[in-house]
Amino acid sequence: MELKNMVTLVSRTGRHLQRYNFHGHRQVVGCIPYRYKSNLGTSPMVDEEEIEVLVITSQRKGKGMLFPKGGWEKDESIEDAALRETVEEAGVVGDVEHKLGKWNFKSKNNDTCYEGHMFPLLVKEQLEFWPEKDVRQRLWVSVREARKMCQYWWMKEALELLVSRLTAQANVDQGRKSNL
């Protein structure tokens, strides 16, 4: 899905296309937007210190920082929904990568149950204008800072899976190069 030239400045609203699982739990999807601090071409290994992630403020004041996420709708693939939510809430575009996992959780305030799916998103472009620019702030932080700031346990678990995947992949790639 090419969003670069198609970003609207209005977020989707309403729940008439919302997906629910067979338990009746609303399905939500999101991304952990990430980038590397330096050019990986000069660094044979990636450690956690090389990774930055993008967190955003909640729409509810004083509710902390989180990763972009929102409803998965019937007229889109799960990857398209994850990218759409990330563009709408965080104003970044990139490559949606292989899913990190699925979590079942309850909302903090009304015991509503959700099924959440999270993806890594390697950021390629940061937009100057995006649909929720006026209601959210975005901030690039280290993995260590994100662990402290993120308000949801399941997003923290997704972050750990992302870090594990990125650092393990770097070690595998380095092993291949040394065997050549």
Side-chain angles (χ1 to χ4, degrees), residues 1 8 11 13-14 16 37 59 81 85 95 122-123 139 143 156 159 179:
M1 180 176 177
T8 65
S11 295
T13 58
H16 64 284
K37 289 182 182 178
Q59 282 188 315
E85 286 295 337
D95 297 330
L122 178 57
V123 174
L139 180 65
V143 170
K156 289 181 184 184
L159 176 62
N179 288 334

Side-chain angles (χ1 to χ4, degrees), residues 6-115:
M6 300 181 353
V7 174
T8 65
L9 292 180
V10 179
S11 295
R12 280 192 173 197
T13 58
R15 298 266 168 89
H16 64 284
L17 292 175
Q18 181 61 55
R19 289 181 190 251
Y20 294 85
N21 69 11
F22 64 93
H23 294 296
H25 302 163
R26 183 171 174 230
Q27 294 177 310
V28 296
V29 297
C31 288
I32 300 178
Y34 75 95
R35 67 184 183 191
Y36 297 102
K37 289 182 182 178
S38 64
N39 183 352
L40 286 180
T42 61
S43 175
M45 295 189 41
V46 176
D47 65 21
E48 182 178 303
E49 301 301 317
E50 272 298 303
I51 303 165
E52 290 182 314
V53 295
L54 186 67
V55 292
I56 59 172
T57 55
S58 171
Q59 282 188 315
R60 298 186 318 251
K61 296 288 184 222
K63 295 295 182 183
M65 304 297 276
L66 58 133
F67 297 113
K69 63 108 178 98
W72 174 18
E73 299 186 356
K74 293 175 185 175
D75 65 342
E76 58 192 349
S77 71
I78 192 169
E79 294 86 358
D80 286 347
L83 180 57
R84 176 184 50 77
E85 286 295 337
T86 303
V87 170
E88 286 178 358
E89 294 185 355
V92 292
V93 179
D95 297 330
V96 176
E97 299 173 345
H98 184 71
K99 185 164 72 166
L100 293 165
K102 176 177 82 170
W103 290 264
N104 292 301
F105 61 94
K106 287 186 176 184
S107 65
K108 289 184 176 181
N109 56 356
N110 61 5
D111 286 338
T112 303
C113 294
Y114 294 89
E115 177 183 283

Side-chain angles (χ1 to χ4, degrees), residues 135-151:
V135 294
R136 294 189 191 271
Q137 294 178 5
R138 62 184 178 193
L139 180 65
W140 286 101
V141 298
S142 69
V143 170
R144 181 176 300 144
E145 291 171 301
R147 285 183 184 116
K148 294 176 192 172
M149 298 171 99
C150 185
Q151 64 176 323

Side-chain angles (χ1 to χ4, degrees), residues 45-48 51 162-172:
M45 295 189 41
V46 176
D47 65 21
E48 182 178 303
I51 303 165
L162 172 63
V163 170
S164 176
R165 182 184 295 176
L166 294 176
T167 57
Q169 184 60 46
N171 292 333
V172 167

